[in-house]
Amino acid sequence: MLYTVKEVSELSGVTIKTLHHYHKIGLLFPGKISEAGYRMYGSKELERLQEILFYKELDFPLDQIKEIMEQRADRLSLLSQQEELLLSRKYRLDNIVQTLRKSISCAKEGETMDSMEMFKGFQNEEEWNEALAEQNQHLQITYGMESLEVAPTDVQKLNEQAVEAMTFMNNMAGSLRDGIKHNDERIDNLLRNHLEFMNEHGNQITAHDFAAQTRFFLSDDFHLKMLESQQTGLAYYLSAAADSFSAANP
């Protein structure tokens, strides 16, 4: 059975304009074009659209979805990979929800939550590797980088670094919301303390290196979305602050 583009739109919830765009970029071709010029879609095209939507749910950009699907033509292989990615995200979200509920409870009671409790769910190498799975996959597919594997001896160090990094980013986000300029002395102090911590914990990084890293965040969809989901404008604010700090500390 063949479906018109309008019928596919009604079935899937994908707009006609989007389906036309998928055709234009070579992501989803119609099964055939009728004599009258109408796009017609069969079961194989509907299956491919379903696979595309699963990747969209995982926040993959369209060019990356196209690349993955060209490399993995087997439907079962694609669906199995998507299931693994979705379950990994569900696992992380379940842990985050539990921590969030604990945070809400502490806030209601006027209690201060223990720093390590804030990162509950990342207390062993398996959970850290689960947490890093999506980022590892992104870096591997996009840049060909090898996956970071967390060993049992790394867990305590990573927990400490996670607490410091979260504190730093929360302070930066708060400064942005409060209207503090990116080159303010208070921002310089935040950056200086953050870099000192990183260097003291085995991550040798200069002010110039950190500025380059923040510029990379602006060009990389995964990291840009991660920062912007915390606070709109945070990625750009962080990069501007890092550039200013680097110029003052060559």
Side-chain angles (χ1 to χ4, degrees), residues 112-129:
T112 301
M113 193 172 177
D114 181 81
S115 294
M116 296 311 299
E117 185 71 12
M118 293 179 187
F119 297 90
K120 187 175 181 181
F122 300 89
Q123 300 302 301
N124 57 55
E125 69 274 17
E126 290 87 0
E127 292 175 352
W128 266 105
N129 284 319

Side-chain angles (χ1 to χ4, degrees), residues 153-169:
T153 54
D154 297 330
V155 173
Q156 183 60 34
K157 180 178 70 174
L158 286 173
N159 284 339
E160 292 173 359
Q161 292 178 3
V163 172
E164 192 280 333
M166 184 62 73
T167 301
F168 168 70
M169 293 308 302

Side-chain angles (χ1 to χ4, degrees), residues 19-241:
L19 291 169
H20 287 174
H21 179 63
Y22 288 174
H23 183 187
K24 181 179 179 181
I25 65 175
L27 182 59
L28 177 66
F29 292 103
K32 64 177 292 186
I33 305 293
S34 71
E35 293 182 1
Y38 294 111
R39 295 173 174 88
M40 306 298 292
Y41 298 82
S43 58
K44 288 185 178 180
E45 289 73 45
L46 293 182
E47 288 177 353
R48 184 173 175 88
L49 178 58
Q50 182 197 45
E51 292 159 7
I52 292 168
L53 295 180
F54 280 139
Y55 279 122
K56 285 285 291 177
E57 187 66 28
L58 288 159
D59 298 325
F60 280 68
L62 293 180
D63 56 348
Q64 191 174 347
I65 294 173
K66 183 180 177 183
E67 181 180 350
I68 294 171
M69 296 183 74
E70 286 175 351
Q71 292 174 354
R72 291 191 171 205
D74 175 55
R75 176 168 167 79
L76 179 59
S77 175
L78 281 171
L79 293 176
S80 297
Q81 181 199 47
Q82 290 170 335
E83 180 186 33
E84 183 179 340
L85 289 170
L86 285 166
L87 287 174
S88 176
R89 172 170 288 190
K90 178 181 181 296
Y91 177 81
R92 292 198 302 280
L93 288 174
D94 285 344
N95 282 332
I96 291 170
V97 168
Q98 290 177 17
T99 304
L100 177 60
R101 287 172 177 166
K102 176 68 174 176
S103 301
I104 292 171
S105 176
C106 287
K108 286 181 177 179
E109 299 297 326
E111 300 174 355
T112 301
M113 193 172 177
D114 181 81
S115 294
M116 296 311 299
E117 185 71 12
M118 293 179 187
F119 297 90
K120 187 175 181 181
F122 300 89
Q123 300 302 301
N124 57 55
E125 69 274 17
E126 290 87 0
E127 292 175 352
W128 266 105
N129 284 319
E130 285 284 348
L132 292 170
E134 187 175 353
Q135 176 174 284
N136 276 337
Q137 172 147 8
H138 169 72
L139 294 175
Q140 185 177 32
I141 292 173
T142 309
Y143 304 104
M145 295 174 62
E146 292 186 6
S147 297
L148 171 66
E149 292 295 329
V150 176
T153 54
D154 297 330
V155 173
Q156 183 60 34
K157 180 178 70 174
L158 286 173
N159 284 339
E160 292 173 359
Q161 292 178 3
V163 172
E164 192 280 333
M166 184 62 73
T167 301
F168 168 70
M169 293 308 302
N170 284 341
N171 285 332
M172 290 297 294
S175 298
L176 172 59
R177 287 192 296 270
D178 292 341
I180 299 175
K181 292 184 177 180
H182 69 277
N183 56 354
D184 189 277
E185 183 180 355
R186 287 167 290 183
I187 302 300
D188 286 349
N189 288 334
L190 286 176
L191 286 164
R192 184 175 293 105
N193 292 336
H194 179 57
L195 292 179
E196 286 178 357
F197 178 92
M198 293 177 70
N199 281 286
E200 289 170 359
H201 288 75
N203 299 308
Q204 298 304 311
I205 183 169
T206 66
H208 176 76
D209 294 334
F210 187 68
Q213 186 182 75
T214 62
R215 287 194 294 273
F216 166 74
F217 292 160
L218 293 179
S219 65
D220 182 77
D221 288 340
F222 180 92
H223 293 90
L224 178 62
K225 188 173 295 184
M226 182 172 63
L227 289 169
E228 291 297 289
S229 66
Q230 182 176 346
Q231 172 64 45
T232 301
L234 179 58
Y236 303 91
Y237 182 70
L238 177 64
S239 184

